[in-house]
Structure formats: structure tokens, C-alpha cells
Amino acid sequence: MLLHSSEEKHSLIMQTDKVMCKDDQDVIVKGWLQREVRGGVRTPWFRLRKFWFVLTPDSLDYYCNNEKTSKRIGSLVLTSLCSVRWPSKQVYKETGHWNVTVYGRKHCYRLYTEHLNEAVHWVCAIQKVIDSKAPLETPTQLLIKDIEENIHNQNSVDEIYKLNPILRHTNSPLYAPLLPFSYGSEDISIDNVKGYTALRDEAVKIFNSLQQLENEGDPVPLIQGVLQTCLDLRPLRDEVYCQVIKQTTDHPEPGNINNLRYWQLLTCMSCTYLPSPAVLRFLNLHLRRTRERFPDTEVEKYSSFILESLEKTKQREFVPSYEEISVLIQRQELTCTVYYPGAGACKVLITSHTTAEELVQEMIEKFNLDQSRNVFALYEQNSHYEQALSKATIIADILTRFENFSCKEKGFESRWRLCFKLYCFLDIEDVPRDSMEFSFLFEQAHESVIRGYLPTTEDTLQSLAALRLQFLNGDFSPHAPFPRLEELFPIYILHSRVLASSKPSVTSRTPCPNFHKGFLTGALQNGLWNNSLVKQKAEESQKFKGRVKEEGANMMSAIVDKWKVLQGMDRTDVMTSYLAVVKQWSGYASTIFDIDFYMSSTGCFFQRLWLGVSASSLSLYKQGEVEPFENVLYSQISSFGISDSSTFKLSVGEKDMLFETSKVDEITQLINTYLTCIGNGPCLSTRNNSIATEDACEPV
């Protein structure tokens, strides 16, 4: 919140008694500040009291007054681990004072002044002193350095481990972190909203959790909790790595399940995030030392698995799912189900590092699509949503997200899945009719029809629905299974028809009776009017569903009549006939995006448009119209990109066009992929026909 001008002006006026002392060479800043102090037994609350503060190169001291003979009351020694918080406008709003908070090892000084520039001056001076201090290192850090320096002398390394219990497994609790943490950093962290306490306290609590892990029958929830804490609190990652290294060093029973629990946790950590370079070097030394000391054991197998994982691990967006952790602790691969157009699905094995690009390539080889000129991609989808995955997306993260969604959302329509589909349509004429790719073209064309992206007559849509029935069931039979109408025909047409026929004309409306004012007031007070509205809406909804059902039955009857005349057509002929109809629309082989708003620098603007992105151009359609009102070849585009989170900007010569849509990232990604394919020429490399996603750019 902005301060009132008079208040802000007043806060910039410095006190006259806050001056630099030229006589005291060790004094950096001194002056009057107010400090929070606790009252006595009768007044246990906090109150402010004025003291004389002196900042030196080593400490922040305070006195009762500013006389040279005054006795020092308290002192906060400043080290590299101390921290200072900047003044808060919220605190000024609540108290009328600007606050300065200084955190030390044992003490925290909460100081206040009425003047903003005075508070800023103190903060800058204290921070400068803190920055001048040499970094403090814990005993663990010093010992890690000793181990690295003696790495080629195994006897010396063994002696370091033998003489320093802090490096070895222990059954005793940990009372302080192994690595240094800045004092007060937890108060500044936004992660307090998740219920976390001080980083130092969290580090100690995690070590207690690690020790509990030894006796857990099902270690997965506890492992997931530790991983989540480290994902939320980045500074804890090195600490927990060091704690697990400690607990897997010189365990009294190396092959015992108690020790293997630590190795299972370390396995999951190595697949989720990496430590800092210094801790990573120490971890690699620990793993290699373990392999040499325990050959042909479970411990040696875990060490080898972790070493391989560390070379592949990228930062994960989510912690591994329950299923992923369950297979990781057994050093096994994760089974992933991938769907494809139609009702097909296949199971593939992935690791915690498998990317969308790698899985797409595996699917391409599985379906013998290596010679295809089209581009394929993986999509995450449910019945209401679909989005292509970028090539660097980690598949295990997507599966974790699906697991999280399944806990919040219920019902068939909200089920999430991975789907392998055509992404860029570069060749639609030379696709063999007996290939899997041809069935992909057919299935994805049918998806577009069902979603309403084919502006044609109702009779044509009925004919397409009949072809779909012939494809699914073969020749007509009264005993054949009938799919739902919305799987054959764009259901929105029936809804629109029913709504149009339900609208009452202005002249036919029944006039509202003139109730007595008192009666109306009483009815409203008793909720009778609201109940009447609810009942009326329920009746209208029921009537609407009845009308839709009736219209649907008539529509299905018309479709079946057309299905009967298709007798004898095989599936290949059906797909060919279906695609022949769809290809008549100029928007075929384009990916259609709904545009909420379009504006051009020429002065025209529209709402509710379709943007078609194809291999050669961008086309703009008024929804439901057959021909585009604007078509822009890629060679005509000067630049394009994301203007903000929901605005896509396109420049053609001197004309600028703005599109409002929630799909700006997907549009940019698709255009970039087409431009990349065009740049590769007519013969694309078979190793490049997976989705390529790059940042928004200007085409050459």
C-alpha cells in the first residue's frame, strides 16, 4: 500500500542525534533506535523501548544512553550466517514505525524507527558488515574437504572416517544441522504458509524421520514426505543428502533392511533433484567407496544405480508418485500406459528420466512410422482438455500430476491419460491406406468433427456418423452395439436446436400478476420466491433434457437409415470415404484454436473465431463458416510471439494482429515446429519427427 504523501515525507526526515562519530574509528553507525522488550509479570506483552545502538565491524551493541561511560547492555556478534530483514510497509502501516530485524545465532534484535531512510541506512550498513565476514564452515564441511584432498590415499580416508563419528551412521539423534544455515532465513521464506518451521529445525526433524525409516513396513509415504520437504525447501537438499550419506556410511549391518531403507531413499533422491556441486562430488566419492567395499551385494547394486541416475537427473516438477517410488526402491522401471487415436493403448517401460521426446521416438518405432514425414507428439488429455507435451517434459512428472488429479477429481470425464497423436500434418496425401498412420488421420479427423470443427450441413454430418457406425460395427444389424450419439455426431447442434425452439416469443409471455406488496415481501422473507425459482429451473432443466433426448432419438434414427445403405463397405473404404468428405474443407490438416477476441491495426475486430495453424499458413475463420476471411502465409509474417499470458501478437508487413486466447503457448509452440520442419526441407530426418518446442521467436 502506498503511503500518504505527508507520512512519506515525514518518514524521510532523519533525527539530528544520529551522526557518524569520527573519534571512534571502530564505529560504523550509531544512533537511537527502539527495540522490542518484554514486560514484567504484570505486563507480559511486548513493548518498545529506546536504546543507543552502535554498529562496529564485529557486532551490533546497545546502551542505555549515548554517553561514553555508559555500560553496554547487550551485543549481537555478526558472522556470515547472520541476516537482516528490510523494512516492511505492512509493519509501518500497523505500528507507525519502520522495522529492522537482525538475526544472530542466539539472539534476534527487532528494531524500530520513525524514519524510512534511517531504517534503510542501518540495514545497508549491517548487511555490509555481514558480507565482509569470511564464510563459516561446519565440521562436516571441513571433513568433506579433507576427504577430497586425500582421495588418492585410501588409508588416510579410512582414518578420517574412523576418527570422526559425525561422518558415520548413528542411532543417536541429531541436535544441529550438518551444514550451515543463515540465521532467520526461515522467517523470510514464503514456505511458512505450508507449515514449515526454521530451516535448522526442519533439518533436525528430517534426521529423526530418517531414523524412523529403518523400522517402516511401508517406506513409500515417509520417503515421499522427505522428498516433498526438500522440493519445497531448496536449502535443505544438500543437508539431507549429507544426512543420508552419513547414515549409509559404516552401518553395523550393511545388508540389513534397516540400512537398505536409507539406500532406497537415496535412490529416490537421486532421481528427483541433484545436490550442489560440492555435495555431489562427496556423494560420488561415497558411492564409489561403497562399491569397492561391498562388491556383489545389494548395497553395491544401489550404489551403481544411483551413480547412473545422477548423470541423467534433471530438476523434477513433482516428487515421484507412490507407484514410481514403489518401483524405484526395487531399482525397476515404471510401466506407463500410452493411448493412441481410436480405442488403442499400449504399455511401455520408462525410467524416472524418460522425456516426452524419447517416448515419442519409441512409439514411432513401435508403430513403424519411421518413414513418415508427419510429426507426432504426446498429449496429456481428459474429456475436456488436451495439450501437447514439450519434448523435454519428464514423463514421470506427468504421471505424478495425474495421480494428484485423481485424488481431487472423480468420475470418468476427469480421468487423465497420455495419448500419442499426429501433431504436424506435413503429408496427408501419400499416406498408405493400410498403415497405422492412415488410421490416425481418420481418428483425428473424427475427433475434430465431434468437437464441431467441420462447418458443413447437418445431412453431411449424419452421413459421416453413419460411416463411423459402419467402421465400428460393420454392416447394419439390429443387435449391433450402439455408441452414444455424442461419439458419432456433434451434440452441440442438438442443444442449439432445442434452445432455439425453447425461447418464448415476446408477445406470448404471460404478464406477471400484481401481487400485493405485503404478500410479496412476506414471500421473499420466507424464501417462497427463491424456492419457486429453484423449482422452475429444475423443471426447465428436466424439460430440456427430455427435448434433447427426443431430438437425439430422431437423429440416431436418421443416422441408422444412412448406415443401412453402406452395407458391404470394409473399414479401409470407410476411412477413405470419411476423409474424402472432411478434406473438402479448407481447414482440414490444420490445428484449430478457439480465439476469444481478434483485433487488427486496420481497425477490424471480431469475437469467437477459429485460428487454423497448418503447414503453410495461418487462417482465420468466423466460427461455422467454410472459407477463412484472412489467410497469412508463413513467408508473409514479419514477427510473432506472446504479448502477455493470454495475448498472441502477429505482424504481417505493417499490420499488427492481436489474438486473445488461453492457448498462446500452444499456438507459438506449433508455429515454431512447423517453421522448423519447413526449414528442414521436403525430406525430414526420421529422428526429428517428434515434437520440437522452442521459445517464441521471429521467423527468418
Side-chain angles (χ1 to χ4, degrees), residues 619-634:
S619 302
L620 280 168
Y621 298 85
K622 294 180 181 179
Q623 290 190 0
E625 293 194 358
V626 176
E627 297 298 328
F629 68 85
E630 183 133 26
N631 189 71
V632 180
L633 299 175
Y634 288 132

Side-chain angles (χ1 to χ4, degrees), residues 13 94 152 212 222 235 245 346 365 393 405 522 596 633 666 691:
I13 301 175
E94 295 172 355
H152 299 297
Q212 294 175 20
L222 189 52
I245 293 172
C346 62
E365 294 172 359
T393 301
F405 285 154
D596 298 323
L633 299 175
E666 292 93 316
I691 178 174

Side-chain angles (χ1 to χ4, degrees), residues 464-477:
L464 291 175
L467 286 168
R468 182 66 177 179
L469 272 176
Q470 182 71 14
F471 175 81
L472 294 174
N473 297 330
D475 292 341
F476 169 76
S477 169

Side-chain angles (χ1 to χ4, degrees), residues 583-620:
K583 285 179 181 179
Q584 295 176 14
W585 181 44
S586 62
Y588 175 69
S590 298
T591 303
I592 305 298
F593 296 93
D594 291 307
I595 302 300
D596 298 323
F597 179 78
Y598 161 78
M599 181 175 65
S600 172
S601 57
T602 59
C604 63
F605 66 91
F606 298 96
Q607 290 181 317
R608 306 294 182 184
L609 298 177
W610 287 340
L611 172 66
V613 182
S614 69
S616 59
S617 63
L618 304 180
S619 302
L620 280 168

Side-chain angles (χ1 to χ4, degrees), residues 476-534:
F476 169 76
S477 169
H479 305 293
F482 281 79
R484 295 180 301 170
L485 180 61
E486 52 264 36
E487 297 175 12
L488 302 172
F489 187 86
I491 200 69
Y492 80 92
I493 292 179
L494 298 185
H495 291 171
S496 300
R497 181 186 299 170
V498 172
L499 287 173
S501 63
S502 305
K503 288 182 179 179
S505 61
V506 177
T507 56
S508 64
R509 288 179 183 171
T510 304
C512 180
N514 293 322
F515 292 114
H516 188 272
K517 183 176 180 180
F519 172 80
L520 183 60
T521 303
L524 288 173
Q525 290 175 346
N526 293 314
L528 297 178
W529 186 261
N530 289 337
N531 291 337
S532 176
L533 288 176
V534 170

Side-chain angles (χ1 to χ4, degrees), residues 323-338:
E323 182 181 0
E324 183 183 353
I325 294 176
S326 299
V327 298
L328 272 179
I329 62 179
Q330 301 177 50
R331 305 187 305 278
Q332 296 178 354
E333 294 181 314
L334 181 65
T335 301
C336 172
T337 302
V338 181

Side-chain angles (χ1 to χ4, degrees), residues 57 126 159 169 177 238 254 321 341 347 378 381 432 459 461 464 491 495 536:
I126 295 170
E159 191 68 15
H169 176 274
D238 280 355
S321 64
K347 294 186 180 296
L378 277 175
Q381 62 176 211
D459 185 70
L461 292 173
L464 291 175
I491 200 69
H495 291 171
Q536 181 181 349

